[in-house]
Amino acid sequence: MPSARSHTADILGGGPGGSLRRSLSLRDLIVYGLLFIAPMAPVGIYGALDARSHGVVPLVYVVATVAMSFTAYSYARMIHTVPQAGSVYAYARVGLGNGPGFVAGWMMMLDYLLIPAVAYLFSGIAMAQLVPEVDQWIWTAIAVVVTTALNLSGVRRAAVVGFLVLAMEILVLLVFVVAALVVLAQDGPQRGWLSPLTGDRAFSMTALLGAVSVAVLSFLGFDAIANFAEEAVGGKGSSARLVARALVWCLLVTGVLFVLQTYLAALLSQDSSRHLAENPAEQGAAFYAATESAIGGWLETTVAVSKAIGAAFAALAGQAAASRLLYAMARDRRLPRFLGSVGLRTGVPGRALLLSAVLTMCAAVWAARSADGLDRLVSIVDIGALFGFGMLHLSVMGYYGLGRRGGGRPAAESGQAEGGAERHRMSVLRDWVVPLVGLAIVVAVIVTANREAHWVGLVWLVIGLVALAVLRRRDKRESAAD
């Protein structure tokens, strides 16, 4: 009979090392990405975007999808180059060097630990509204425990349950679409049919782009798919193609869903974008208000329940991605080595999962018990991901543009010698233009973030640089000893 200690080791990993299991199909990868983003992600910020964009929220999401496609393209290129867990951390290591790689992973850690905390908190808030006798922080903690246990049971089982939850969310979205179409066919729209694309007041390109800088945050999470590169079925080459396809499909599907639901919400809304701009307190509930007034309270409640369950499983996907990042960095001895172990029975990095769950629960429960906890958490949650996206684009330029792939000539020079002007132009486009445009978009979004987010990001970066200095001193000592 195995002892309790050996059973625990089978689940969490008995020591450094081990490998992840290749069991995720294309569908599973897309499910993880869609869960993390959430099919109805625009619900909470629809009112703010409507006010800010002068009523062109669907157009905002069209532009935001195009903007995020530059990041998706850079991910797809680097996934083929480095089909490993760790995502941007691994890409920056080969494209920029070990030091920038550590910094990229460190900053992404902030994103992967805080985004699940926000999702858990949203779930707790929604459940507390449905069952007010139980405090929201208790619901938040319950959501953390349940999803952590599911993640620990194995990536395949978590993916199957996640698929069922995602199917429920899409079904609720489909009910909303059908009900909205019936109401529009019977009663007509509250705004003009084309107003969601042209605006319900004077069109402003400045207002549109300002709203896009907020809307791109709705897509944060699709990149988490890259962390499962070592768990996709097939060999390294085929698994890389699978992950890249899943990432692109996830972006396209969410883009279509976001445009569709915000277009219908705009047509149903009785409040103009000017009214929402003049009454900021009404912006958060604008989507629900449009649904209730046009369709009925039953659908509002259905959407709220779906958001409560969906938020918890968005956190499940985020927690899984965070554990893979911690695992990859620990495997490379950039974090404590005990995090770089994989359970023999489950094939998941159990210790990294538990650490990410504990840190996430602390942040989520703190925010749930603080009067302004949600606002403060949301204000800083995106800075790590945006910094990571910037490092991703720099990695493409470093690896392909500057020729870090083996120390040879820059890709553009090599292409010019071998294939002439056309090959050179394509190299410049792929290796410089696309990542530079993506980097510019990321920088623009970072600039629009609030001051508290800037300060938190700066403090976290400084801590990471100190940790990097300590690691380099350790590496030098070990190298000298050898």
Side-chain angles (χ1 to χ4, degrees):
M1 290 291 290
S3 66
R5 175 176 292 184
S6 66
H7 177 72
T8 302
D10 286 344
I11 296 175
L12 302 184
S19 59
L20 301 168
R21 294 179 182 172
R22 294 193 177 277
S23 58
L24 296 178
S25 65
L26 177 63
R27 189 198 73 175
D28 297 328
L29 293 167
I30 294 175
V31 166
Y32 268 110
L34 292 179
L35 273 178
F36 202 170
I37 297 175
M40 299 189 74
V43 168
I45 63 170
Y46 165 78
L49 292 179
D50 198 45
R52 190 165 184 167
S53 68
H54 296 189
V56 291
V57 182
L59 183 60
V60 166
Y61 274 110
V62 170
V63 177
T65 303
V66 173
M68 289 306 298
S69 67
F70 290 91
T71 296
Y73 181 78
S74 289
Y75 264 111
R77 292 201 75 188
M78 294 308 294
I79 287 170
H80 285 289
T81 302
V82 192
Q84 298 177 5
S87 184
V88 175
Y89 158 71
Y91 310 152
R93 287 191 73 199
V94 300
L96 302 173
N98 288 333
F102 174 83
V103 172
W106 183 263
M107 295 303 293
M108 289 297 288
M109 204 186 306
L110 182 66
D111 166 51
Y112 285 147
L113 292 176
L114 290 185
I115 283 187
V118 173
Y120 282 130
L121 184 54
F122 279 145
S123 180
I125 291 172
M127 289 303 299
Q129 290 176 338
L130 296 173
V131 188
E133 295 81 9
V134 180
D135 289 339
Q136 68 180 33
W137 75 266
I138 296 178
W139 285 118
T140 300
I142 290 174
V144 176
V145 171
V146 171
T147 53
T148 301
L150 189 56
N151 267 328
L152 286 171
S153 70
V155 67
R156 180 62 186 167
R157 183 174 299 173
V160 171
V161 177
F163 174 76
L164 297 176
V165 173
L166 180 63
M168 178 271 296
E169 292 186 83
I170 293 178
L171 178 61
V172 171
L173 179 57
L174 181 62
V175 170
F176 164 75
V177 170
V178 172
L181 291 175
V182 171
V183 170
L184 291 171
Q186 293 178 344
D187 304 326
Q190 297 293 323
R191 302 182 188 179
W193 288 102
L194 293 179
S195 68
L197 301 177
T198 60
D200 62 349
R201 46 182 164 143
F203 181 84
S204 169
M205 183 60 68
T206 302
L208 171 66
L209 296 179
V212 167
S213 69
V214 177
V216 295
L217 302 179
S218 299
F219 292 94
L220 295 187
F222 84 100
D223 57 292
I225 298 172
N227 283 283
F228 299 98
E230 293 181 38
E231 294 164 272
V233 296
K236 286 188 176 180
S238 59
S239 65
R241 288 190 294 273
L242 203 66
V243 174
R245 286 173 57 197
L247 197 145
V248 172
W249 271 107
C250 186
L251 177 63
L252 292 177
V253 169
T254 51
V256 170
L257 294 179
F258 289 174
V259 171
L260 176 61
Q261 65 192 273
T262 55
Y263 177 79
L264 293 174
L267 295 179
L268 296 175
S269 179
Q270 295 181 349
D271 297 324
S272 66
S273 64
R274 186 182 300 277
H275 172 84
L276 291 173
E278 294 171 350
N279 298 271
E282 299 180 18
Q283 293 177 8
F287 191 102
Y288 295 107
T291 301
E292 182 180 16
S293 62
I295 301 173
W298 65 272
L299 184 55
E300 179 192 10
T301 302
T302 303
V303 171
V305 172
S306 173
K307 289 287 289 182
I309 299 174
F313 280 83
L316 174 141
Q319 183 192 83
S323 69
R324 271 61 177 182
L325 174 60
L326 296 176
Y327 162 79
M329 295 181 71
R331 184 175 57 184
D332 295 333
R333 300 183 64 226
R334 301 296 90 183
L335 289 177
R337 294 188 67 183
F338 77 91
L339 295 173
S341 62
V342 174
L344 298 178
R345 295 188 179 184
T346 61
V348 300
R351 292 175 177 176
L353 264 168
L354 284 179
L355 178 61
S356 63
V358 169
L359 296 176
T360 298
M361 178 180 283
C362 290
V365 172
W366 165 80
R369 293 176 63 86
S370 301
D372 60 345
L374 176 60
D375 292 337
R376 296 180 67 181
L377 196 58
V378 170
S379 69
I380 64 175
V381 73
D382 302 315
I383 200 72
L386 295 170
F387 188 97
F389 289 170
M391 295 295 285
L392 165 70
H393 294 299
L394 290 174
S395 299
V396 173
M397 289 184 278
Y399 185 79
Y400 291 101
L402 297 179
R404 283 187 60 91
R405 45 181 175 178
R409 291 174 298 168
E413 294 179 13
S414 174
Q416 189 174 21
E418 295 173 8
E422 181 64 26
R423 186 184 294 270
H424 174 62
R425 283 194 294 270
M426 288 302 299
S427 295
V428 171
L429 177 65
R430 288 158 52 90
D431 303 342
W432 293 102
V433 176
V434 171
L436 276 173
V437 172
L439 180 62
I441 293 169
V442 169
V443 171
V445 178
I446 291 177
V447 169
T448 62
N450 63 39
R451 183 171 298 179
E452 185 173 10
H454 290 156
W455 278 110
V456 170
L458 180 60
V459 170
W460 186 252
L461 176 60
V462 170
I463 296 173
L465 292 175
V466 172
L468 177 61
V470 172
L471 288 171
R472 282 181 167 173
R473 289 186 62 183
R474 183 203 66 186
D475 294 342
K476 287 181 178 179
R477 286 198 307 268
E478 293 180 352
S479 178
D482 294 339

